[in-house]
Amino acid sequence: MFLLKRLQTMQDFFSLCTIMGAGFIGGADAPTFFYSDAILCRPIQQFIADFLGRNLLGVFSHTLAVTICLLLQRSGLNVTSEVEQRDIGAQNKVSLEELCQPKSVDIF
């Protein structure tokens, strides 16, 4: 996915450079657009923001989930068996809130 986004970013950047380069060539039909550095860097900044948002934020949430599962295991809960018991939901996902809730024990 990021290969396509990277290619799109390069295409956007070089198309801006081509338009601006046509202004330097001159001529009657050539548009005279001169972009600032901020406008030229905008496609690259958008790619970097998207890349960091998807990768770093994903790493943080994964690390947080692993930490919570390790804390639950240290408190005496067998997380693996709990996930296997409740693994009948949509797309085989078990929420952390469901794991953190205490089990109801029937006395009768």
Side-chain angles (χ1 to χ4, degrees):
M1 182 70 180
F2 279 110
L3 174 67
L4 295 176
K5 287 186 181 264
R6 192 177 335 155
L7 292 174
Q8 179 66 38
T9 301
M10 286 189 275
Q11 193 266 336
D12 292 343
F13 175 75
F14 287 124
S15 66
L16 288 174
C17 290
T18 303
I19 292 170
M20 195 167 89
F24 285 116
I25 294 173
D29 298 343
T32 56
F33 292 115
F34 298 107
Y35 297 118
S36 67
D37 290 342
I39 293 174
L40 286 175
C41 291
R42 188 172 295 147
I44 297 167
Q45 289 172 345
Q46 288 174 348
F47 173 77
I48 291 171
D50 189 32
F51 182 80
L52 291 177
R54 290 191 186 264
N55 285 339
L56 290 183
L57 293 178
V59 168
F60 177 73
S61 62
H62 176 74
T63 305
L64 182 64
V66 168
T67 304
I68 289 173
C69 288
L70 287 174
L71 289 173
L72 287 172
Q73 281 181 337
R74 285 190 180 173
S75 69
L77 180 70
N78 188 356
V79 176
T80 306
S81 67
E82 291 292 325
V83 169
E84 288 173 355
Q85 287 177 1
R86 300 174 190 201
D87 203 17
I88 56 175
Q91 299 176 357
N92 297 332
K93 292 184 181 179
V94 178
S95 67
L96 286 174
E97 292 86 14
E98 189 177 332
L99 283 176
C100 293
Q101 291 176 355
K103 287 184 179 180
S104 61
V105 178
D106 293 333
I107 299 176
F108 302 105

